[in-house]
Amino acid sequence: MGGAGRVGGSGEAGREARTAADEVTAAAPAALAALERLRPRMAAAGLGLGLAHVGEPGLAPAGPAEASAAAAMPPRRRREFLAGREAARRALRAVGVECGEIPREGRLPVFAPGRAASLSHSAGIAVAVARAPGGRAPLGCDLELRPLPCDAARLVLGPDEEPLLGTADGAGTWSLTGLFSAKETAWKALHLAPGRAGTASMRTLRDLRAEPCGDALRIGPRIDPRAGQSSRPRVGASSGPSGLPCTGARAGQSYGVRVRVLPVGAGEFSYALGWAGADGRSTPVPTARRS
């Protein structure tokens, strides 16, 4: 790009890149290597994977909208923003789609028609997943390389979800960081769904409920008791997409997102697998209910 599109002069950009590289060095190698190994799994799921990190040279806006947004940011956030946009373009390229600049509306990226991607940042690494044009599978991902403190559980989980947490006696199988990441992924997928299914009731992550579904999690909006729906779990369990049980699906909770959580380095990466009905089985893309 020409100088008008750059963020800062070459000397400033070089200093920013060196500082950013210092910040990401400790966490990046193991996490990036683990994420790279996921490419075949992502491709098998019909997803393109894109990776970038704030220390790599050559990060620059792809157009005036990105340049304007980046110019208003402090240096560290600016590098994260540019890395995220580059990761999204690489993810789209992996499914055969070229993409120019990605402007934003508020904090959300805005993609041109026929293009869609979900992106996440953590510890200087940006990751994105994209699907080919015409795909109707849910799209969401989240990367968490910094473990959440135990006292954050009350901000993420409802009392009925606490048994999911791994404990010293072997009960539960999910870390708090993994559950947080999975809910972030489901939140993104639901907000990107046609009609933004169920998002009116979603104000915090506690408004989503997670339950085991085979080797993944099924996450969907909680039922509002004021709408006349039962908030009590169903008795028994139903078979999930993998043949393993999905337990505790809520009566009236007709859709959700199946999310897989995988360890990457010292952190967790999650991505959306598909839409799931209340019994955990695959279902077409949900739409918002009409009153």
Side-chain angles (χ1 to χ4, degrees), residues 115-216:
R115 292 155 178 78
S118 174
L119 54 146
S120 181
H121 314 82
S122 185
I125 296 175
V127 59
V129 295
R131 60 173 177 241
R136 297 177 66 81
L139 195 58
C141 73
D142 186 71
L143 177 66
E144 301 295 333
L145 298 179
R146 298 184 178 95
L148 267 67
C150 292
D151 59 3
R154 62 185 176 80
L155 303 176
V156 179
L157 306 176
D160 56 343
E161 296 171 298
E162 291 178 2
L164 296 174
L165 284 171
T167 59
D169 61 7
T173 57
W174 307 90
S175 70
L176 177 59
T177 304
L179 290 167
F180 173 83
S181 181
K183 284 196 171 188
E184 282 281 313
T185 289
W187 183 286
K188 294 174 184 178
L190 289 163
H191 273 275
L192 285 171
R196 297 183 62 179
T199 57
S201 65
M202 291 163 47
R203 295 177 178 83
T204 75
L205 292 183
R206 287 167 57 91
D207 294 325
L208 294 173
R209 182 176 185 271
E211 59 179 335
C213 190
D215 59 353

Side-chain angles (χ1 to χ4, degrees), residues 32-265:
L32 283 170
L35 288 165
E36 283 285 357
R37 289 193 290 271
L38 296 180
R39 287 190 185 278
R41 186 191 290 249
M42 298 290 106
L47 297 171
L49 179 69
L51 302 173
H53 65 81
V54 298
E56 65 181 81
L59 292 178
E66 286 187 12
S68 176
M73 298 175 181
R76 183 171 182 173
R77 173 68 186 115
R78 181 159 60 225
R79 299 292 299 182
E80 289 179 344
F81 172 80
L82 295 175
R85 289 315 193 257
E86 185 58 34
R89 281 187 280 272
R90 291 171 182 175
L92 285 161
R93 199 171 297 129
V95 293
V97 180
E98 290 297 327
C99 181
E101 72 168 345
I102 305 169
R104 63 177 187 165
E105 183 176 318
R107 293 179 58 86
L108 299 177
V110 178
F111 293 92
R115 292 155 178 78
S118 174
L119 54 146
S120 181
H121 314 82
S122 185
I125 296 175
V127 59
V129 295
R131 60 173 177 241
R136 297 177 66 81
L139 195 58
C141 73
D142 186 71
L143 177 66
E144 301 295 333
L145 298 179
R146 298 184 178 95
L148 267 67
C150 292
D151 59 3
R154 62 185 176 80
L155 303 176
V156 179
L157 306 176
D160 56 343
E161 296 171 298
E162 291 178 2
L164 296 174
L165 284 171
T167 59
D169 61 7
T173 57
W174 307 90
S175 70
L176 177 59
T177 304
L179 290 167
F180 173 83
S181 181
K183 284 196 171 188
E184 282 281 313
T185 289
W187 183 286
K188 294 174 184 178
L190 289 163
H191 273 275
L192 285 171
R196 297 183 62 179
T199 57
S201 65
M202 291 163 47
R203 295 177 178 83
T204 75
L205 292 183
R206 287 167 57 91
D207 294 325
L208 294 173
R209 182 176 185 271
E211 59 179 335
C213 190
D215 59 353
L217 288 164
R218 179 193 178 282
I219 302 174
R222 290 182 181 273
I223 297 303
D224 186 350
R226 294 170 298 180
Q229 302 284 3
S230 171
S231 62
R232 296 181 61 187
R234 290 179 180 176
V235 176
S238 55
S239 176
S242 65
L244 296 174
C246 291
T247 58
R250 300 265 174 166
Q253 187 178 350
S254 60
Y255 61 87
V257 183
R258 285 188 296 120
V259 178
R260 176 155 290 145
V261 183
L262 300 171
V264 289

